[in-house]
Amino acid sequence: MMAWSWSSNCRTPAMQIFHRLEEVPADFGPTIVSVGNFDGVHRAHASVLREIVARAQKRNAKAVAITFEPHPARILRPESGLKLLTPTAEKLRLLQATGVDAVVLLTFGRDLSLLTPHQFVQEILKKRLHAIEVHEGYNFHFGHKAVGDVKTLSELGCEMGFEVTAYPEMRLRGEPVSSSHIRRLLAAGRVSRARHLLGRPFAILSTPGRGRGYGSKYTVPTINLSRYEEMVPRDGVYITQTRVDQECFNSVTNVGNRPTFGDESFAIETHLLNFHPLELRPDSEVELHFLDRLRDEIKFPSVEALKEQIGRDVKKAKRYFSLMALYSSRHS
């Protein structure tokens, strides 16, 4: 089996989390700061965060990421129905893995949304965090109605005594590394491309849900996930890896409505290829990592036809894992 680095098991340095500005100690700082939503903590985010960690070490400062809960779009544009790549708990784990010293997780509500760019910089960056450097992407906007940009930030930095570094758009193989573009890729089922831009497989973390017995009764043993409200790939069948608590399995996962059984309801169910008996509790963690797409979800004329297709899916998945294991052994 391939050895992915499961996020929940990583050993990473301790990271402070401040949920309110008042929790930040008065003598905290100096700091090197980056402000953003960091949804997905993709390659472009990680590049900036690694740089602020390096700069903080060089300048005897603390590296700090400022982010928000809920995502501002859910407050300012509720009609958008935004689905997150990484819910807050997972985002914090990924931010910790970058090595930042602290995360300021601010509640995004009316008070914060009404701050002018000057107020945001003065009250948060200067007064609370004693920022000496601020690092942002080229398209950074902040303040009431997002009127502030990197030019505004640079001007305020000159006024208040901190440096500003702006980063150009990151592109890989012609594609922008951005949360919105990764969402588009996932909505199209292109999980392998999303993996390239994220720098790791796209994953969802949930708990076991109650299925209707189709897996064990008609086809193959499966684990059904509990209802998941955030971003999932387009309906279809995928090659995945699944962590159940501390055990990891190669797997094939179906995302969709199971139309063959005639009673459509959305479900995410995964079949463990190298399965062995394990204890599955209602609170067990089930983490799915999406590696590649096999096919669309379709309605089969019979359960037997579905079983035959699952056999073909499993065969393709096993070949995928064999090839990846061979590749890994040749490049280790």
Side-chain angles (χ1 to χ4, degrees), residues 129-143:
L129 295 177
H130 311 291
I132 56 175
E133 292 183 24
V134 180
H135 294 239
E136 300 298 339
Y138 73 101
N139 60 347
F140 175 67
H141 284 82
F142 68 109

Side-chain angles (χ1 to χ4, degrees), residues 1 30 36 77 82 105 117 139 152 165 203 211 215 265 293 301-302 305-307 315:
M1 164 175 178
R77 299 186 301 280
L82 178 73
L105 180 61
N139 60 347
T152 310
T165 300
S265 64
R293 182 179 174 88
S302 67
L306 172 60
K307 288 175 66 176
K315 186 176 181 179

Side-chain angles (χ1 to χ4, degrees), residues 36-221:
N37 293 312
F38 300 114
D39 187 28
V41 194
H42 51 59
R43 287 183 185 269
H45 294 146
S47 178
V48 175
L49 293 168
R50 284 195 299 268
E51 181 62 19
I52 71 169
V53 169
R55 292 291 299 165
Q57 291 171 349
K58 186 174 182 179
R59 299 195 64 179
N60 194 28
K62 291 183 173 68
V64 179
I66 300 177
T67 191
F68 310 98
E69 184 183 32
H71 192 294
R74 289 184 163 172
I75 302 299
L76 302 175
R77 299 186 301 280
E79 73 284 354
S80 69
L82 178 73
K83 300 290 188 181
L84 296 178
L85 298 172
T86 45
T88 299
E90 178 62 12
K91 179 167 70 171
L92 290 173
R93 282 193 286 267
L94 292 167
L95 289 173
Q96 182 177 7
T98 68
V100 296
D101 298 296
V103 170
V104 180
L105 180 61
L106 298 178
T107 299
F108 191 87
R110 176 179 171 80
D111 290 347
L112 189 60
S113 71
L114 291 177
L115 290 180
T116 66
H118 189 279
Q119 289 171 327
F120 184 93
V121 169
Q122 184 176 52
E123 294 299 318
I124 299 175
L125 299 182
K126 184 63 179 177
K127 183 178 177 180
R128 287 289 177 178
L129 295 177
H130 311 291
I132 56 175
E133 292 183 24
V134 180
H135 294 239
E136 300 298 339
Y138 73 101
N139 60 347
F140 175 67
H141 284 82
F142 68 109
H144 183 49
K145 295 186 177 180
V147 296
D149 56 15
V150 289
K151 182 175 182 294
T152 310
L153 186 64
S154 295
E155 292 170 350
L156 291 169
C158 289
E159 177 185 332
M160 299 188 197
F162 60 82
E163 303 170 25
V164 173
T165 300
Y167 295 74
E169 179 185 47
M170 178 184 286
R171 299 184 74 88
L172 294 176
R173 299 179 186 173
E175 290 185 288
V177 182
S178 71
S179 301
S180 57
H181 184 62
I182 292 169
R183 289 190 197 95
R184 288 192 290 270
L185 290 174
L186 292 171
R190 300 180 63 193
V191 296
S192 59
R193 291 301 303 151
R195 178 178 63 179
H196 183 62
L197 302 186
L198 285 166
R200 65 184 188 281
F202 173 72
I204 62 176
L205 179 64
S206 188
T207 55
R210 294 187 62 184
R212 290 175 290 179
Y214 295 154
S216 58
K217 185 176 180 181
Y218 296 113
T219 54
V220 291

